[in-house]
Amino acid sequence: MSVLVDKNTRVVIQGLGSAGKFHAATMVEYGTLVVAAAHPGKGGTEGKGIPIFNTVSEAVAETGADTSCIFVPAPGAADAILEATAAGIRLVVCITEGIPTLDMLKVKHALSGTSTTLIGPNCPGIITPGQTKVGIMPAPVHKPGRVGVLSRSGTLTYEAVDQLSRLGIGQSTCIGLGGDPVKGLDFIDGLKLFLADPQTGGVVMIGEIGGQAEEEAAAWIRENMSKPVVAFIAGRTAPPGRRMGHAGAIIAGGKGTADEKIRVLKKMGVLVVESPAEIGAGMQKALENGRR
Amino acid sequence: MKIHEYQAKDIFSRYGVRVPRGRVAASAGEVMQVARELDGVVVVKAQIHAGGRGKGGGVKVVDGPGQARSAAEAMLGRPLVTHQTGPGGQVVRRVLVEEGLQIESELYAGMVLDRETARVTLILCSEGGVEIEEVARTHPEKILREPIDSLTGLMPHQVRRLAFGLGLSKSQVRAATAFLSGMYRAFVELDASLVEINPLVVTQAGDLVALDAKMSFDDNALFRHSDLVELRDVDEEEPAEVEASRFGLSYIRLDGNIGCMVNGAGLAMATMDIIKLCGGEPANFLDVGGGTDAGRVQAAFKIILSDENVKAVLVNIFGGIVRCDVIAEGMVEAIREVGIRVPLVVRLQGTLADRGREILAGSSLNVVSVESMHAAAEAAVREAQGVS
């Protein structure tokens, strides 16, 4: 078992620019079933044996694609998400960085009431080690196993996963939630999926400054989570009012500080590691202790 | 992207949000001219991006052109220090000269994106002219919020609830509807990330006027607002940060002495955090990004080393799609070009990290090469302390 994606997931790539082409190839190499690509004007052609369609709905009808991975540049990315939704895609993974926030507001509005799940944008994607990867993460650091990973970051996630794998702790599924202020899947959604997944024995949660998602997740964990959760929050040294790379990583009006998130998580019984070098060790300890 | 008060007021007046009569001026002569036109009591306001101008002496109420001139002369060309500028202050290059108003009461109006509800949210408060964060802490009941549905926009019933909630009269509620609707339209049409009017004043004549105005925009949406891009004032930004943005590097200068070069925003923040945990202070945030090549690494080194406080540099790269050998080669090349006067600690991990470390070891560079993040931070702190 795993969450959201497995070896049967059928992927359509949206946007065949250089990034789309490059990462589609690494996904194929990993064993992901990349069954189609959609790129307006390139319909009827193919790239490396993968058929290209003008629209996502054609791709779905012809190939049975159920998941999309978006590399469309920011100005067209919101449209690409909604195109996938309209085509009946079950899971949309949007890698694109730099989508205007108000575009995402509209996307969130349009997605409510549909059965489509959105991951991202501005995220590395999702991987179920040993089965499939839908995204841009470096596959070799991952290892199949029992720990679920949820993160707002990219390279910091690879760092955490690498720590886990070196300690012999494999991962059930790793989900990059993305660094934007308005996004699809968030911590609570991911925690619910991992709670329901029998393979997952614990969850690593990597948060950062900005917003209240970690605090909300902390309250949810206290009420509902029976599996151990280990958290790290980046940005304790970040100055207020500055955007730390990610559009969503900003302390605004005194809200969204790392210290406050850490305080709330600890209060709700979550094991918070102080150092980013101790994420793997923290999870190891939590697994040994059983419950959180 | 932030803009100046006078620019925000220009925008607001285009959207039917009432602002005081006045004009921006860059010289004492111009200031006198504007004051003469306005006649009577005028307000001279220093135009810098930082807040807290009033307390810092950047806002003066004066009577007539002569006094306006003296007030402007005391501001123009000089640094203004506020609690937001840092000790060096920010040089005032323009002042806004406005009519003085007879003020009955001061309110607060703000609009931000509420991330949790994914809605633009209007915030009103019966206490204006003071810091809203402070009111939120001491009198949270005075703050009223209305999340706005992106389909319907700001509805009259929402304005009524807020305006009557603040104790406005019936005719003022009508004025508030026009005022707040204009604010909302400006927010969504221009892809703002923050709009703040503090204070929003009720004049003795009963009018609602934006006495101050603050507006910032979503950087991600600037591609569709070329007219807004022209409002950017790089004089208000840290020169090294402007330089970094030219290379697509995300750089923020801090107060510490350990320069950081990291790939990825989350890892860059975590690297700053671990430096602090090990007893040091980071000198900057720097994300070199995913598609890192020698050119970017070189630019990053130059920018980090332009900070004279830097006593050691910590490079933390987790190679994913970017290979560590490529980074290492880029680094060797960059350092040969730029030269480096402080100890350099490099931590390479991930794709082809061993090969990357061999390249560093084989170079003639004096590099402390470590494998773990913790060891890297400790080494950087030690090296920084060793340099006097």
Side-chain angles (χ1 to χ4, degrees), chain A residues 34-95:
Chain A
V34 178
V35 296
H39 197 102
K42 287 191 185 167
T45 63
E46 62 172 50
K48 297 199 174 149
I50 297 164
I52 304 173
F53 300 89
N54 282 324
T55 65
V56 178
S57 55
E58 279 176 87
V60 169
E62 296 294 322
T63 66
D66 56 18
T67 296
S68 112
C69 192
I70 296 178
F71 293 95
V72 175
D79 182 49
I81 295 170
L82 295 181
E83 180 184 1
T85 309
I89 288 286
R90 174 186 64 89
L91 178 68
V92 178
V93 180
C94 186
I95 308 299

Side-chain angles (χ1 to χ4, degrees), chain A residues 22-23 26 74-75 98-103 105-106 108-109 133 136-138 141 152-153 155-156 158-159 162-163 166 180-183 208-213 216 232-239 241-250 253-255 274-277, chain B residues 2 113-116 118-120 133 145 149-151 187-193 217-221 223-224 241 250-254 262-274 276-277 281-282 285 287 316 318-321 347 349-351 357 371 373-374:
Chain A
F22 176 83
H23 291 293
T26 70
I99 303 179
T101 305
L102 290 179
D103 286 6
L105 235 54
K106 289 179 189 155
K108 284 281 275 190
H109 205 93
K133 103 166 180 163
I136 61 172
M137 62 289 279
V141 300
R152 285 172 63 187
S153 171
T155 45
L156 180 56
Y158 315 156
E159 168 76 39
D162 187 53
Q163 289 175 21
R166 280 166 191 271
D180 277 3
V182 178
K183 53 181 173 284
E208 64 188 25
I209 55 165
Q212 306 289 307
E216 290 177 3
F232 173 74
I233 306 294
R236 288 183 96 163
T237 49
R242 302 300 308 269
R243 234 165 258 284
M244 306 301 281
H246 291 153
I250 180 166
K255 288 277 176 68
E274 303 278 321
S275 163
Chain B
K2 291 180 179 175
L113 171 81
D114 181 59
R115 297 156 64 134
E116 275 57 53
R119 278 174 162 68
V120 175
E133 289 85 10
R145 288 165 208 274
D149 188 294
S150 58
L151 195 61
F187 192 104
V188 294
E189 284 179 20
L190 302 178
D191 281 288
S193 53
F217 301 96
D218 178 1
D219 294 337
N220 287 348
F223 70 84
R224 58 189 175 204
E241 294 179 10
S250 183
Y251 170 85
I252 293 172
R253 183 167 284 191
L254 305 167
V262 187
N263 66 330
L267 191 62
M269 269 189 279
T271 303
M272 286 160 45
D273 294 347
I274 199 169
K276 177 98 177 175
L277 277 176
E281 291 287 344
F285 167 92
D287 172 10
N316 185 13
F318 198 98
I321 303 307
R347 186 265 184 154
Q349 199 51 268
T351 312
R357 282 183 222 121
E371 290 192 22
M373 202 163 155
H374 187 80

Side-chain angles (χ1 to χ4, degrees), chain A:
Chain A
M1 285 282 286
S2 57
V3 308
L4 293 171
V5 294
D6 61 23
K7 60 182 189 302
N8 300 313
T9 299
R10 298 173 71 79
V11 178
V12 52
I13 304 290
Q14 285 178 260
L16 285 178
S18 58
K21 277 186 199 153
F22 176 83
H23 291 293
T26 70
M27 285 182 229
V28 170
E29 197 183 311
Y30 195 65
T32 304
L33 296 177
V34 178
V35 296
H39 197 102
K42 287 191 185 167
T45 63
E46 62 172 50
K48 297 199 174 149
I50 297 164
I52 304 173
F53 300 89
N54 282 324
T55 65
V56 178
S57 55
E58 279 176 87
V60 169
E62 296 294 322
T63 66
D66 56 18
T67 296
S68 112
C69 192
I70 296 178
F71 293 95
V72 175
D79 182 49
I81 295 170
L82 295 181
E83 180 184 1
T85 309
I89 288 286
R90 174 186 64 89
L91 178 68
V92 178
V93 180
C94 186
I95 308 299
T96 310
E97 180 178 359
I99 303 179
T101 305
L102 290 179
D103 286 6
M104 282 310 300
L105 235 54
K106 289 179 189 155
V107 167
K108 284 281 275 190
H109 205 93
L111 281 180
S112 64
T114 72
S115 55
T116 300
T117 299
L118 171 67
I119 294 178
N122 189 13
C123 78
I126 176 169
I127 181 169
T128 292
Q131 296 196 44
T132 190
K133 103 166 180 163
V134 184
I136 61 172
M137 62 289 279
V141 300
H142 299 80
K143 187 181 147 110
R146 297 183 56 221
V147 169
V149 177
L150 291 169
S151 173
R152 285 172 63 187
S153 171
T155 45
L156 180 56
T157 318
Y158 315 156
E159 168 76 39
V161 169
D162 187 53
Q163 289 175 21
L164 290 169
S165 296
R166 280 166 191 271
L167 290 167
I169 303 168
Q171 306 89 43
S172 52
T173 299
C174 304
I175 309 175
L177 304 171
D180 277 3
V182 178
K183 53 181 173 284
L185 205 77
D186 219 325
F187 284 116
I188 294 178
D189 309 303
L191 287 163
K192 282 181 185 166
L193 293 168
F194 284 127
L195 177 61
D197 173 41
Q199 186 196 325
T200 301
V203 180
V204 168
M205 198 178 131
I206 299 170
E208 64 188 25
I209 55 165
Q212 306 289 307
E214 291 84 355
E215 288 89 329
E216 290 177 3
W220 187 90
I221 289 167
R222 164 99 152 209
E223 292 299 313
N224 305 284
M225 195 64 178
S226 55
K227 299 175 181 180
V229 178
V230 172
F232 173 74
I233 306 294
R236 288 183 96 163
T237 49
R242 302 300 308 269
R243 234 165 258 284
M244 306 301 281
H246 291 153
I250 180 166
I251 299 166
K255 288 277 176 68
T257 64
D259 284 342
E260 177 64 7
K261 290 174 190 297
I262 291 167
R263 189 188 67 79
V264 174
L265 282 161
K266 281 184 174 168
K267 192 175 148 201
M268 296 296 167
V270 177
L271 174 64
V272 182
V273 294
E274 303 278 321
S275 163
E278 289 165 5
I279 300 171
M283 193 70 235
Q284 188 176 41
K285 199 171 111 190
L287 289 174
E288 282 163 8
N289 294 345
R291 286 179 52 102
R292 68 170 200 268

